[in-house]
Amino acid sequence: MTDWIAAYLAAQQRALAALKPQELAPLITTLQEAHREDRQIFVIGNGGSAANASHFAVDLGKGASDVLPRRFRVMSLTDNVPWITALGNDYCYEDIFVRQLMNYARPGDVLIGISVSGNSPNCVRAFDWAKATGVKTIALVGAKRGQMAELADQLVVIPDGHYGRAEDVQMNILHLMAYAFWENPDLAA
């Protein structure tokens, strides 16, 4: 078991070490611009990625916003279960994010999609709609990249197809994005 644990941790460290600061800095710039322009930030994902989306909305909307003169307007579209199930039941599961965006999103807003495969139909549909509507998109995907990678304005690929490792690294990126403002409130000036 200790060998398996050591191998798992080594693979996790390789996946995290593959991130390049020059690829992550533009994500923070996008959030900086959204904050400056009072734009809405939406976050989507399924399963573990949905949990990461919710976690990020808390960190940016509460934690980082608590130290800023004006709060971030951020919403995880994974959190309203009655609305999600109504959309899935009355339309289709592929529409659960795009139909929420139709109510809220405006050109210039930001959509962050988290998906290991990059091919989650509900995320792809939301990215396709966002692209056509002028909503900026950031995709955090795993090694397979998927359709989200082709649609995204900004892309970070975690070079690992293991769902747990990729989701852990994605959460590291989301923490980094929130803590950039939490620990450097002057970024919002």
Side-chain angles (χ1 to χ4, degrees):
M1 182 52 60
T2 57
D3 289 343
W4 179 86
I5 292 170
Y8 187 96
L9 291 174
Q12 189 68 39
Q13 290 168 347
R14 282 192 303 277
L16 189 57
L19 296 178
K20 296 179 177 38
Q22 63 272 21
E23 293 175 353
L24 302 177
L27 307 181
I28 294 165
T29 300
T30 297
L31 292 183
Q32 198 174 21
E33 291 167 359
H35 184 268
R36 185 178 323 115
E37 297 170 8
D38 198 31
R39 301 289 185 181
Q40 183 76 34
I41 300 164
F42 303 98
V43 197
I44 60 174
N46 295 293
S49 296
N52 283 349
S54 295
H55 189 150
F56 176 68
V58 170
D59 286 348
L60 193 65
K62 183 217 168 284
S65 289
D66 279 353
V67 300
L68 302 177
R70 186 172 34 80
R71 305 186 77 74
F72 272 102
R73 294 187 324 113
V74 59
M75 178 187 308
S76 169
L77 300 183
T78 65
D79 294 335
N80 190 328
V81 174
W83 196 359
I84 289 169
T85 58
L87 293 170
N89 184 65
D90 296 348
Y91 301 103
C92 61
Y93 189 74
E94 289 81 1
D95 281 355
I96 66 166
F97 298 135
V98 72
R99 288 200 175 259
Q100 291 182 73
L101 289 169
M102 288 173 171
N103 282 52
Y104 292 122
R106 302 290 177 259
D109 287 343
V110 177
L111 173 62
I112 301 171
I114 310 161
S115 173
V116 177
S117 73
N119 280 320
S120 301
N122 54 2
C123 293
V124 171
R125 194 169 288 188
F127 265 55
D128 192 44
W129 183 89
K131 186 177 187 88
T133 310
V135 173
K136 298 173 186 175
T137 56
I138 297 172
L140 306 180
V141 298
K144 293 179 184 176
R145 302 171 61 94
Q147 295 175 27
M148 287 173 62
E150 304 305 317
L151 293 167
D153 296 314
Q154 294 176 284
L155 173 67
V156 177
V157 177
I158 287 66
D160 198 309
H162 184 279
Y163 275 73
R165 273 195 291 278
E167 287 172 350
D168 284 349
V169 174
Q170 288 166 336
M171 194 64 233
N172 284 181
I173 294 167
L174 295 167
H175 270 140
L176 182 140
M177 291 166 65
Y179 276 88
F181 295 90
W182 205 335
E183 296 180 359
N184 302 287
D186 57 316
L187 285 176

